Amino acid sequence: MTSIPLAEELLLLAYDDQSGKATGSRIGLDLGMAAAVLIDLALANRVAYAADGYLKVVDATPLGDPVADAVLEKITTEEPHTPAQWLQRLRHRLRTRVLEDLCARGVVQDVDETQLGVIHVHRYPTTDPAYEAEIRSRLAAALIGNTLPDERTAALATLLVAARMEPALKLPADEADRAHERLAEIASNAGFVGDVTLEDSIVRPSVALVVATLGRAIQAALGAPKPI
């Protein structure tokens, strides 16, 4: 199966398959998706985190993905911004754009329910579960098994933690503790797991730096978690 953008992966995990409604923090999801687009650009060697604290373009060649290419053009042509600034600039209407793309490809469907005759409520139940099944399979192998996550899976795990989306994993109770520990380990090391050294990890240092920086920016934007 062809991989899909990280922003789409995050969204599919966040939306309930049957009800088609988003679960968890809406702002967390929007920030996480904005970060996901930037991370996809880093994975493709298009952007990098510079010593001056800004995200910089290192290769302006388009990827062929409309959302990522539009962001790449913005970073190329606009004045420099920090990762935190880019998250705020990119998060608005990003989810709508991604949902439209997923609907066009038949991954989810747009169910428009009019309430009180005037209020339109949109739901997006899943119509093609294969994509989400593959995402959850990758995460389970990394979080429950002993598989070292690849770059994309490590980045996705880090975003799930930063955006407070861990409940979206929907893991069995007897596996939740192991997954939680593994998530925290991956996120705190930006993809470097356990005793794996920087040289041995398959996560490139340049990518890990972008992932870690964006993860911290999301957490700062969301503020301290509310006490239970």
Side-chain angles (χ1 to χ4, degrees):
M1 176 180 295
T2 303
S3 63
I4 61 176
L6 276 173
E8 292 186 0
E9 293 192 342
L10 204 63
L11 185 146
L12 289 175
L13 291 173
Y15 273 67
D16 183 80
D17 295 351
Q18 280 71 46
S19 71
K21 297 179 180 180
T23 60
S25 167
R26 298 292 186 96
I27 182 63
L29 173 58
D30 290 340
L31 289 167
M33 289 177 64
V37 178
L38 295 169
I39 290 171
D40 265 338
L41 291 172
L43 287 167
N45 297 312
R46 298 301 193 270
V47 301
Y49 183 67
D52 58 7
Y54 295 121
L55 279 179
K56 299 290 183 64
V57 172
V58 294
D59 181 355
T61 305
L63 296 178
D65 174 73
V67 174
D69 288 345
V71 171
L72 181 61
E73 183 177 2
K74 281 179 177 291
I75 301 174
T76 302
T77 58
E78 295 186 10
E79 63 182 40
H81 295 292
T82 66
Q85 290 170 332
W86 277 118
L87 290 184
Q88 296 299 335
R89 292 176 67 84
L90 298 176
R91 69 181 178 87
H92 301 288
R93 287 194 54 79
L94 175 59
R95 188 174 359 151
T96 299
R97 175 67 185 276
V98 171
L99 281 167
E100 289 173 350
D101 288 349
L102 288 171
C103 288
R105 302 204 312 271
V107 180
V108 300
Q109 61 176 320
D110 183 355
V111 178
D112 183 358
E113 297 178 339
T114 302
Q115 298 180 355
L116 303 178
V118 293
I119 302 174
H120 287 271
V121 178
H122 291 263
R123 298 188 297 107
Y124 299 90
T126 300
T127 52
D128 184 352
Y131 289 98
E132 186 175 345
E134 189 276 334
I135 300 164
R136 292 188 180 278
S137 176
R138 278 183 13 241
L139 284 168
L143 301 179
I144 301 171
N146 295 313
T147 302
L148 182 68
D150 59 21
E151 289 181 312
R152 290 180 58 79
T153 306
L156 181 60
T158 303
L159 289 174
L160 287 169
V161 173
R164 301 174 189 168
M165 289 177 55
E166 187 174 341
L169 291 171
K170 300 178 182 177
L171 295 171
D174 59 341
E175 297 173 339
D177 289 343
R178 163 67 173 165
H180 176 77
E181 292 176 2
R182 189 73 160 168
L183 265 176
E185 185 178 27
I186 294 171
S188 64
N189 293 286
F192 303 111
V193 183
D195 296 326
V196 176
T197 65
L198 191 69
E199 292 77 15
D200 293 333
S201 175
I202 58 174
V203 182
R204 288 162 288 168
S206 60
V207 174
L209 182 58
V210 172
V211 173
T213 303
L214 288 167
R216 289 193 293 269
I218 293 171
Q219 292 174 322
L222 292 177
K226 294 182 181 179
I228 299 175

